[in-house]
Structure formats: C-alpha cells, structure tokens
Amino acid sequence: MTTRARRTQRRTEALSRERIVKAAVELLDTAGEGGLTFRALTERLATGPGAIYWHVANKSELLDAVTDSVVAAALAVEPADSGDSPQEEIRAVALGLFEAIEEHPWLATQLATQLSRSPWQSVAPRVFESVGRQVRALGVPEGNWFTATSALVHYTLGAAGQNSANTVNAQVLGPGMDRAEFLGTVSRAWEELDPVEYPFTRAVANHMREHDDREQFLAGIDLVLTGITALRSPAE
C-alpha cells in the first residue's frame, strides 16, 4: 500500500458517519437547509468531498441520516420508574420531540418530508413505535391502535412544528423581537377583529398573549389521551 493510500484510508476511517452527521446538524442549526452543502461540510470537517461521499451518497441521504439521528436522540428517554404510567411515557416521548423541534427549527420540515415521502425508512417507525407501545399498554383495542397512535403523532408533530415556526417568525418580524412581543402582536390583532364575524377569536385573544407553549402542548396531549383511554373496554 502506498503512503498516499494509507493516509487516505486513515482519513476516511477518522471521518466517521457520526462526525459528518454532527457537523451537518450544526450547519442546519446555524444556516438552515440552504446552508447545508457538501462544500460547507468539507470546510467544517477540514477534509475533501471524496471522504464525505464515502459515507453518504448525496444531500438527500445526508438529510435522512441527520433527521434520524436527532429523532433517535429525542426519543432516547431515560428508563422510567416502574410506577410510571403509559400516559406519562407518552407525555415524555411527545415532549422530547417537541423540544427537539424547538431546538432545531429545520426538523419539522424534514419530519414532514420523510413521513410523507418515505415512511418506510427509520424515522416513521421510530416515532410510531415509541408512541404505539404505550397506546397498546393503555389497553386500547387492537383495532384502534393505528388510529390512536396516528392522532398522537400528528398532534405532536403539528403542534411542535407550529411552535417552532412561531419562534422563527418572531425573529423575522424584527430585530430583537422575542416570543412575548410576537404573541402580544398577534393578540392585539385578534382583539381588533370584527366582533360579529370573529366573536370566539376575540374572546380568546388574551389567552394567546399569556399562554405557556409547553403547558399548552401537554394539555393538548392530555386531551387526546382522554379520548384514547375512553376506547378501553370496561374491564381495563
């Protein structure tokens, strides 16, 4: 083996798929999907493009790997106490995904893309398995497993994605605008709606200003769980 070949082999071995994924997450967090290019990756990792292509074939495969890595970490909930109920386990899984999407604004779009484009890959089964096991543990009849689990997953990802979008939009509206200012702007706009056409929206406008995102999110999970647990047979 020549010296150059040995150096190339060592460099390829040192540049693991895990390092590439970690660097890609950092680029996505700071620059968004448009900033994730193989050129930017080579600069961040101080390597050549060939070493990266050894581990991932293209950007699509890289985005899949990055999404799977972040979701796997979000779902790696510490083993619960033996007394924890399936409801508490579901809340922990949902909150883990909520916080991951809040921390990584690009994740909501990637999750939606993967779940619709390639639900047979690892991300969809990871999420469904984490929630579905607990739905089954609740004693829900088997015929309702898929619907109940889908309701929880869709609510979790939809609400978490909207929360992340609100955070991003607040930053876009003006320099230094924080969440409270953004929600205040929305609340005032709702209060000024026509009282005949929008009586309900005007009535809850103040709640928009004052609500806590996590508390509201978990309250929504509890509402869904209330409906799901009603499916259990009386013997459960």
Side-chain angles (χ1 to χ4, degrees):
M1 182 182 291
T2 66
T3 300
R4 177 176 296 179
R6 284 195 297 270
R7 289 175 179 171
T8 300
Q9 181 179 14
R10 286 197 300 269
R11 186 165 59 246
T12 301
E13 291 171 350
L15 184 64
S16 65
R17 185 180 177 91
E18 290 73 21
R19 280 190 61 207
I20 294 171
V21 166
K22 181 180 178 181
V25 170
E26 292 169 353
L27 280 171
L28 285 165
D29 287 346
T30 56
E33 185 178 341
L36 177 61
T37 65
F38 275 62
R39 179 176 181 179
L41 268 180
T42 58
E43 293 176 355
R44 180 173 288 266
L45 293 166
T47 188
I52 296 177
Y53 283 115
W54 177 270
H55 296 281
V56 288
N58 49 50
K59 184 175 179 178
S60 178
E61 181 181 327
L62 178 59
L63 285 169
D64 288 346
V66 166
T67 303
D68 183 58
S69 175
V70 173
V71 168
L75 296 177
V77 182
E78 290 294 322
D81 294 336
S82 58
D84 281 355
S85 67
Q87 290 95 328
E88 290 168 330
E89 295 280 2
I90 288 171
R91 291 187 195 100
V93 168
L95 190 57
L97 289 168
F98 179 91
E99 292 178 342
I101 292 172
E102 185 175 49
E103 181 180 356
H104 307 287
W106 50 270
L107 183 58
T109 300
Q110 290 306 314
L111 279 169
T113 299
Q114 287 205 29
L115 290 174
S116 61
R117 185 191 64 196
S118 51
W120 54 83
Q121 292 189 5
S122 56
V123 171
R126 274 192 202 281
V127 175
F128 264 73
E129 186 69 22
S130 296
V131 176
R133 286 188 185 185
Q134 303 309 321
V135 168
R136 182 173 60 184
L138 282 171
V140 173
E142 184 174 352
N144 298 114
W145 286 356
F146 179 74
T147 299
T149 301
S150 295
L152 282 164
V153 169
H154 291 316
Y155 169 78
T156 297
L157 299 184
Q162 183 61 57
N163 176 71
S164 177
N166 288 345
T167 300
V168 172
N169 289 337
Q171 296 169 350
V172 170
L173 285 177
M177 176 173 281
D178 60 17
R179 173 185 176 279
E181 291 175 312
F182 174 71
L183 294 180
T185 300
V186 176
S187 179
R188 287 189 294 274
W190 283 14
E191 289 171 341
E192 294 171 2
L193 291 170
D194 186 289
V196 176
E197 292 190 43
Y198 303 98
F200 175 80
T201 305
R202 283 170 53 93
V204 299
N206 195 51
H207 294 281
M208 166 64 75
R209 179 186 292 112
E210 298 173 352
H211 81 277
D212 178 273
D213 292 327
R214 281 173 176 75
E215 289 180 3
Q216 185 188 53
F217 172 73
L218 291 174
I221 290 291
D222 289 341
L223 285 173
V224 179
L225 283 172
T226 298
I228 289 174
T229 53
L231 297 171
R232 294 185 295 187
S233 64
E236 294 291 343

